[in-house]
Structures are given as structure tokens and as C-alpha cells.
Amino acid sequence: TMIFQNAEIPTTILQQLGGHARLNAFLGVKSYAHTEDSLSFRFKARGLKGINTVKVELDPMDTYNVTFLRANKNGAKIVAETTDVYCDELVDLVERTTGLYLHF
């Protein structure tokens, strides 16, 4: 099912992370943003080093660049970045970097 209108890549990224219900259950997602080739989500749970936003962007090599941010009303600060991430590594990378779980 398409979650974001006319946005196949962000919808696929969301599915690869376990879907909205799972992200919401484990992280308490506050909002999503997307472009044609990326998905960002901000969440209530506080990750390591204050991480509360993750951006996953598809690159031309068909892998992902993942940016972890600490965002507040004054802007966002990059806490960590990882490039060349394969789709089957997304969940593990998010869990390791944030210290928050996306599955039992």
C-alpha cells in the first residue's frame, strides 16, 4: 500500500524499517517528511546522544545514506551519518545508532 502519495521510494523505505505501526509502537513517531528519494521521521523516544530524527536517502548506487539528527525548535544537529547501507541493514543500523529497538 502506498503511504505517501506518488512516492514509491519513501514508501519502500518505511516498509523496510518495519512499517508505520512498528515505528510508531517502538519510537512514537511524531512526523514524517519525504522527497522523491528519501524519508525522514521524527520521534518522541530519545535515542543515544539525543537522536530523535532519522533521514534515510537512496543514493545512485541503490544503497542508502542514513543521517541521525538531534532536532529541536532551533534546528537540527547531525549526530551520526552512515553511507552505503543496504536495505537489509537499515533496522540494525537504526537500533545500534539510536540505542532504541524496532523489534522484540
Side-chain angles (χ1 to χ4, degrees):
T1 56
M2 283 296 238
I3 292 155
F4 306 109
Q5 194 169 347
N6 301 324
E8 190 178 333
I9 292 169
T11 300
T12 299
I13 293 169
L14 183 59
Q15 291 167 343
Q16 290 168 340
L17 286 164
H20 169 70
R22 176 177 286 180
L23 285 183
N24 199 41
F26 283 92
L27 302 178
V29 173
K30 286 163 66 167
S31 61
Y32 290 100
H34 71 281
T35 65
E36 193 180 313
D37 60 0
S38 74
L39 174 69
S40 302
F41 53 96
R42 189 166 175 184
F43 45 90
K44 293 179 200 134
R46 278 282 178 228
L48 297 173
K49 300 179 182 150
I51 294 169
N52 65 350
T53 304
V54 176
K55 179 180 181 185
V56 181
E57 187 172 18
L58 187 66
D59 71 22
M61 302 302 294
D62 212 28
T63 57
Y64 293 114
N65 297 327
V66 185
T67 307
F68 297 89
L69 306 113
R70 181 174 59 241
N72 60 35
K73 63 182 186 287
N74 300 321
K77 181 177 192 291
I78 294 174
V79 176
E81 287 182 286
T82 306
T83 57
D84 301 320
V85 179
Y86 291 95
C87 64
D88 61 350
E89 299 171 326
L90 275 175
V91 169
D92 187 52
L93 175 68
V94 170
E95 289 183 337
R96 270 198 335 268
T97 308
T98 64
L100 302 168
Y101 290 102
L102 297 182
H103 68 289
F104 291 109

